[in-house]
Amino acid sequence: NFALTKLTTEKPLWRNNWGLGPQGPLDKPIYGGETSLEYRTFSSIVSEAEIREMQLKVEYETFVRLPKTGYVLFSVRTFADPLESLETCPQAAACLAASIRGMSAGVKIYKGIANEATERAILQYLDKTAKGPARPVKPV
């Protein structure tokens, strides 16, 4: 990987990724093969209640070159919340909607939202959330 060959100890590489998946076990992968493709593909129109319960999984990945050995350390931090958590931050809902709208057909397939009816329902929910006032954060 070209980016890793240019990595220095002074300048780590940081990236993020996200995906949507149905509620369920958090250890069920949403990427990486046919089973995960099936798991994250929504095959029919879903209700707003179902959309609000979808898992928004966000990963923050860091690559750091270690100074003594020159090896690369990779770390990943994953967060998963119901999509309705975006209701506390309407701007995040707007950003996610813009990201979906900017995707190619291939990326939409990869993300599991290639079904037009489901994509439309998700975007309607995100647009509605983006226009609404931020609701208070639920106590944990």
Side-chain angles (χ1 to χ4, degrees):
N1 189 323
F2 181 75
L4 295 181
T5 63
K6 297 293 182 186
L7 192 64
T8 66
T9 57
E10 297 81 27
K11 195 170 183 182
L13 173 67
W14 176 89
R15 68 181 183 189
N16 68 338
N17 191 17
W18 62 268
L20 296 173
Q23 285 280 25
L26 294 179
D27 64 346
K28 196 165 194 173
I30 59 173
Y31 300 107
E34 284 301 314
T35 304
S36 57
L37 178 63
E38 245 176 66
Y39 176 70
R40 71 178 190 275
T41 299
F42 307 104
S43 58
S44 61
I45 298 174
V46 292
S47 70
E48 183 174 317
E50 290 171 305
I51 291 171
R52 294 177 82 222
E53 291 180 359
M54 286 179 179
Q55 287 288 321
L56 174 61
K57 187 175 182 180
V58 180
E59 295 179 345
Y60 297 96
E61 302 170 349
T62 306
F63 298 85
V64 179
R65 181 153 322 267
L66 299 175
K68 288 185 179 180
T69 62
Y71 292 145
V72 175
L73 173 68
F74 170 72
S75 66
V76 61
R77 177 89 189 243
T78 303
F79 300 88
D81 286 298
L83 195 57
E84 73 174 329
S85 66
L86 293 177
E87 293 173 13
T88 64
C89 185
Q91 187 177 5
C95 288
L96 184 56
S99 178
I100 292 170
R101 285 188 174 97
M103 288 178 185
S104 67
V107 173
K108 287 178 184 178
I109 290 168
Y110 175 72
K111 295 283 187 184
I113 52 174
N115 175 288
E116 287 182 33
T118 301
E119 178 188 353
R120 189 171 38 254
I122 290 169
L123 288 172
Q124 285 174 349
Y125 171 74
L126 292 172
D127 290 341
K128 178 180 164 187
T129 300
K131 291 176 186 165
R135 71 168 169 76
V137 177
K138 290 180 184 177
V140 180

